[in-house]
Amino acid sequence: MSNPSIVDQLVRADTAAPPRIGRLSGLGWLVWRQHRVTAGIALLLMVAAAGWLLAEHAAVADGVARIRQAGCVDPETWDQTPACWPLIQEASSYQEPFVTYFQLLMATVPALLGMFLGAPLLAQEYERGTHLLAWSQSVSRGRWLAARLGAALATVLVVSAVLAALTSWFWKTTVNSAASFLSYDPPFQSFTYLVLGIVPIAIALFAFAVGVTAGMLLRRTLAAVAATGAVMVAAEVALRLLRPHLWPQVYGVQAFNQNFSSFMQPKDAWLVSSGSILTDGTRVPDGGACAHLDGCPKVVQVYGYYHPVSHFWPLQLVESGLLLCLTGGLLAFVFLRLRRAR
C-alpha cells in the first residue's frame, strides 16, 4: 500500500484541525464579504463628521474666549467697541456652516442609507439570480435573510446613532450653549429637528426598511433606489404635516400691540398657528393680517398654538415610536413575502 500524498495529508490535517477562534466561515463570511466596503465607507463618514465637528467646536470655543476677553459679550458694546464686530463675525463664521450646510447634509443621510444600502440589498440578489444559489444550500431562507438584514441594519443603526450623537453634542455645546449669542438655531427648525435626538435614527431605520421592501417588490436595483427616494420624500412631507399634532399644543392669548400685532411665542418654542381675537370674540387666523378686518382697532387680543421647548422630547419619542412601528411592519412583510418568493 502506497503512502498518502502530501496533498492528501494537508486535506486531512485541515479537516481534522479545529476552526480558529474569531475566523468567520459560511454565511457569516459571505455577509462580511458583501458588506465590508459599506462598513469601510460608513467608518470614513463617521470619522470625517467627528473630525470636522471637533475642529469647528475648538474654533468656536477659541473665538468666544477672545470675545469675552475683549468685553464684547454684551450686544450693546458691539457698536461702541471697534474690535467687537470682527471678533463676533469670525466666531460666527465657524457656526454658520453647521447651521446652513451640515444639518442639510445630515438630514439627507437616512434617505441615502435607504436608497443605496437598503434598496440594493435584495434587488441585486434578484437581478443576478444569486438568491437561488443561496436558497439551494443548507441555509434556510429565513436565516439567509436574517443574516443579510442583520449586518445592514447594524450598519444603519451605528452610523445614524453616531452621527445623531455628534450633531446633538455640537448643537448643545457650541450652537445652543452660553455662546448662543453668536447665532440663533431653535430646536424645532426643520433641519435642526431632523438631526437632533433619536428621530434621525428612527428615520434611518425606516428608510432602510422602505429600501429593502422596494427591492423585494421591484427586483430591479435602479427602480428600487428611485422608489425609495420618492417614498422618503413623501414620508417627510407627511411627517412634517403630522408632527405638530403628535403632542397636545399649548394655547396662549396676548394683548394686541399696534407695534407688533402677531403672537409672540416663548423662546425656542414652535409656533404652529396664530390669529386675532376681535371685540365680539371672533377668532381670525393670522393675527398680523388686519387689512381684511376693516382696521386693526377691532382686534383686542392675539392667540397662538405652540409647542414649548419642553415638548421636544415628547414629540421625538412619539414620532420615533411611530417610525419604528412602521419599520417593524415592513420588515415583517419582507420575511413573510420571502417564504412564497421564487
Side-chain angles (χ1 to χ4, degrees):
M1 181 177 177
S2 60
N3 294 328
S5 65
I6 296 178
V7 174
D8 292 335
Q9 294 181 30
L10 291 174
V11 170
R12 291 177 184 176
D14 183 69
T15 304
R20 295 181 182 179
I21 299 177
R23 172 180 289 182
L24 292 176
S25 61
L27 187 58
W29 176 87
L30 177 62
V31 171
W32 165 246
R33 291 280 297 182
Q34 291 175 325
H35 290 282
R36 59 181 182 176
V37 175
T38 303
I41 295 174
L43 180 61
L44 289 176
L45 175 64
M46 291 184 291
V47 170
W52 186 83
L53 290 175
L54 287 172
E56 293 296 292
H57 175 76
V60 172
D62 179 68
V64 171
R66 287 187 289 155
I67 290 172
R68 295 188 183 280
Q69 289 176 357
C72 299
V73 177
D74 188 355
E76 295 180 356
T77 64
W78 295 355
D79 293 331
Q80 300 174 3
T81 306
C84 286
W85 269 117
L87 293 175
I88 295 293
Q89 292 175 345
E90 181 182 4
S92 299
S93 66
Y94 294 115
Q95 287 186 344
E96 184 178 355
F98 173 81
V99 177
T100 306
Y101 304 110
F102 188 83
Q103 288 185 5
L104 175 61
L105 178 62
M106 290 298 102
T108 62
V109 168
L112 294 177
L113 289 173
M115 294 170 63
F116 299 106
L117 183 58
L121 193 69
L122 298 181
Q124 287 184 348
E125 298 280 355
Y126 284 114
E127 279 186 334
R128 300 169 181 173
T130 51
H131 65 294
L132 299 176
L133 177 62
W135 295 349
S136 65
Q137 307 302 315
S138 59
V139 179
S140 65
R141 292 187 180 187
R143 184 185 171 192
W144 171 79
L145 181 59
R148 296 300 312 275
L149 292 181
L153 266 176
T155 302
V156 172
L157 181 61
V158 170
V159 171
S160 59
V162 169
L163 292 179
L166 289 171
T167 305
S168 299
W169 165 80
F170 185 88
W171 180 85
K172 184 177 181 179
T173 61
T174 309
V175 178
N176 200 42
S177 66
S180 60
F181 61 86
L182 297 176
S183 63
Y184 181 66
D185 187 37
F188 287 114
Q189 287 194 151
S190 57
F191 291 125
T192 304
Y193 180 86
L194 293 177
V195 299
L196 299 180
I198 58 176
V199 161
I201 304 174
I203 295 177
L205 294 175
F206 173 70
F208 173 79
V210 170
V212 172
T213 305
M216 165 165 279
L217 295 177
L218 299 178
R219 300 194 177 193
R220 293 291 183 271
T221 301
L222 292 179
V225 169
T228 302
V231 170
M232 289 310 300
V233 170
E236 178 53 38
V237 173
L239 286 173
R240 188 182 295 271
L241 296 175
L242 180 63
R243 191 171 294 138
H245 310 288
L246 295 177
W247 197 257
Q249 302 169 17
V250 175
Y251 174 73
V253 176
Q254 298 172 353
F256 176 73
N257 188 335
Q258 288 282 357
N259 297 325
F260 193 84
S261 57
S262 298
F263 180 85
M264 291 292 295
Q265 72 272 24
K267 184 178 183 296
D268 290 340
W270 176 13
L271 182 61
V272 178
S273 62
S274 62
S276 303
I277 302 177
L278 307 184
T279 53
D280 60 357
T282 303
R283 296 198 311 171
V284 180
D286 297 326
C290 297
H292 63 288
L293 302 179
D294 296 328
C296 290
K298 289 186 176 182
V299 179
V300 294
Q301 290 177 316
V302 291
Y303 70 90
Y305 289 93
Y306 64 93
H307 286 291
V309 70
S310 60
H311 286 188
F312 177 80
W313 280 112
L315 285 169
Q316 286 250 327
L317 290 171
V318 173
E319 184 171 345
S320 299
L322 175 63
L323 288 169
L324 290 178
C325 288
L326 294 174
T327 299
L330 288 174
L331 294 181
F333 168 77
V334 170
F335 271 94
L336 293 175
R337 181 68 179 263
L338 184 71
R339 294 180 179 180
R340 301 193 301 267
R342 296 180 179 180

